[in-house]
Amino acid sequence: MVERVVLAYSGGLDTSVGIGWIAEATGAEVIACAVDVGQDGEDLDVIRERALACGAVEAEVADAREEFADDYCLPALKANAMYMDRYPLVSALSRPVIVKHLVAAAKKHNATIVAHGCTGKGNDQVRFEVGIQNLAPDLKCLAPVRDLALTRDKAIEYAEKHDLPIDVNKKSPYSIDQNVWGKAVETGFLEDIWNSPIEDLYTYSQDPTINRPVDEVVISFNQGKPVAIDGKPVTMLEAIQIMNARAGAQGVGRIDIVEDRLVGIKSREVYEAPGAMALIIAHQELMNVTVERDLARFTRQSEQRWGELVYDGLWFSPLRRALSTFFDEVNSVVTGDIRMSLNGGRAWVTGRKSPESLYDFDMATYDTGDTFDQSLAKGFVDIWGLPSKIAARRDLR
Ligand code: ARG
């Protein structure tokens, strides 16, 4: 029986050529699998037809948008997940859901190999392969660009020679990955880290320096999940889409960072994630209002760890899953409304309201009606500072 390979197919040059390239190198039949995670590019039927025209024996298209929003973006929001405090894990979050669909397609078509178009220098190869090994240890992995020496020049030559239905001139000088949670752009002139990003790179957000009126929005959360915008009920996917449009129109969520890849390289990345950033800022502030101090402090460390695990391709690991259970528990009180302003590339909170609020006006006020007994503070301060006071006295000697 001929071996079968499921290829993670994007419709671009590398994976289109990859179909024939893999077939020739391995003698296997290739099944192309495209997963819609809200990348909003070409029509998926067009992508499907292209895969078949490039020699795939079958082509699968999966609409994973709701699933991606509910099962991947929402856990990230509950964890306020930002790698290196800045990057909301756009690409890193999409890999595990794509892996799920690749593994399902492999089962369905009796494939023994799963292939992807990643290079050997990035994080995504790790995320795909560790994910595949975690979900289906029997499947083998293949990366034609990395393992079968499919370079860009060879890909163009191959596409022209075989008259494949791809416009090789349309290939952008950048490596772009996008989904509903955001967009990542790398390579090209950005590899000189002194070069400023140009306006052309951005498609999710408008130029933040342009003057425009402030947009004010109220986001309602239920247990950490955005459930309404300006009072109108939304799904998680809609919440991201609406906030992409509204925060994007105000230039929110542009990120330019030199980032530590898992493979040890530092790389320059330009991201835009207007919806993700606005939602995270709102969610963080609602946590400030509703989560008890020690839990909040502890949570912040775990948020960082969660982000690193997901960045490092360990979505399916026991620690990532256990931490998500912890964040579900933390988020059980993260219910209420956040009012925020969007303008000039910033999203900032201007009001909060919550049935779970720990903010006690009578405790906090400096006006009359204060219920906080200030006389208790004096003894507290003395005893709180005692250990370091004793140590300081010794050090003075
Ligand atoms: N550096 C980012 C990450 O590892 C983005 C990778 C984007 N992938 C791409 N093919 N452009 O998550």
Side-chain angles (χ1 to χ4, degrees), residues 87 91-92 123-124 127 175-177 184 186 259 269 271 311:
Y87 165 43
S91 302
N123 300 311
D124 288 327
R127 298 169 183 151
S175 169
I176 298 173
D177 182 53
E186 56 191 32
E259 173 180 300
E269 306 277 338
Y271 300 108
Y311 187 87

Side-chain angles (χ1 to χ4, degrees), residues 92-157:
L93 280 175
S94 74
R95 301 316 177 200
V97 70
I98 295 172
V99 162
K100 250 188 82 178
H101 286 274
L102 294 174
V103 167
K107 295 241 158 83
K108 178 174 158 195
H109 294 284
N110 288 317
T112 49
I113 301 173
V114 173
H116 59 77
C118 305
T119 72
K121 292 177 73 168
N123 300 311
D124 288 327
Q125 56 174 340
V126 182
R127 298 169 183 151
F128 276 115
E129 294 181 26
V130 172
I132 290 160
Q133 288 159 8
N134 285 175
L135 293 189
D138 296 340
L139 289 173
K140 286 173 285 190
C141 296
L142 180 66
V145 173
R146 182 193 66 192
D147 307 335
L148 303 175
L150 177 60
T151 61
R152 186 169 169 210
D153 292 341
K154 284 189 198 158
I156 293 175
E157 201 188 299

Side-chain angles (χ1 to χ4, degrees), residues 257-301:
I257 184 177
V258 170
E259 173 180 300
D260 281 310
R261 283 195 190 161
L262 176 58
V263 295
I265 302 170
K266 286 192 187 285
S267 72
R268 204 282 183 83
E269 306 277 338
V270 172
Y271 300 108
E272 3 171 35
M277 290 309 299
L279 288 170
I280 290 172
I281 290 167
H283 178 262
Q284 279 174 328
E285 182 60 10
L286 191 55
M287 283 183 75
N288 289 346
V289 176
T290 54
V291 178
E292 182 271 336
R293 181 197 63 187
D294 284 316
L295 182 56
R297 288 182 178 177
F298 187 85
T299 301
R300 279 191 276 275
Q301 299 168 21

Side-chain angles (χ1 to χ4, degrees), residues 28 45 60 88 106 134 149 153 168 176 206 230 238 271 291 300-301 310 337 346 368 381 384 388:
D45 288 328
E60 297 258 335
N134 285 175
D153 292 341
V168 295
I176 298 173
Q206 302 295 315
D230 291 333
E238 289 165 341
Y271 300 108
V291 178
R300 279 191 276 275
Q301 299 168 21
V310 174
D337 295 345
R346 292 208 309 129
T368 40
V381 175
W384 174 251
S388 75

Side-chain angles (χ1 to χ4, degrees), residues 13 152 156 160 166-173:
L13 174 68
R152 186 169 169 210
I156 293 175
E160 282 170 346
I166 354 168
D167 185 353
V168 295
N169 301 315
K170 246 180 65 193
K171 170 108 177 137
S172 114

Side-chain angles (χ1 to χ4, degrees), residues 226-227 229 234-244 275 279:
V227 290
I229 291 179
V234 287
T235 63
M236 182 65 193
L237 179 62
E238 289 165 341
I240 305 167
Q241 288 168 331
I242 292 169
M243 291 312 295
N244 271 341
L279 288 170

Side-chain angles (χ1 to χ4, degrees), residues 42 53 69 76 88 96-97 112 150 158 191 210 293 302 335 378 381 385 390 392:
E42 283 178 302
V97 70
T112 49
L150 177 60
Y158 187 99
E191 285 176 353
I210 292 174
R293 181 197 63 187
S302 311
T335 296
K378 189 176 157 19
V381 175
I390 294 170

Side-chain angles (χ1 to χ4, degrees), residues 185-236:
V185 186
E186 56 191 32
T187 72
F189 79 102
L190 295 171
E191 285 176 353
D192 179 339
I193 60 177
W194 184 249
N195 284 341
S196 316
I198 51 172
E199 206 44 44
D200 270 9
L201 299 178
Y202 299 109
T203 50
Y204 284 44
S205 63
Q206 302 295 315
D207 183 347
T209 64
I210 292 174
N211 257 327
R212 40 174 94 74
V214 176
D215 185 12
E216 188 171 86
V217 60
V218 176
I219 306 172
S220 307
F221 290 86
N222 181 26
Q223 304 198 320
K225 179 180 181 177
V227 290
I229 291 179
D230 291 333
K232 193 176 153 279
V234 287
T235 63
M236 182 65 193

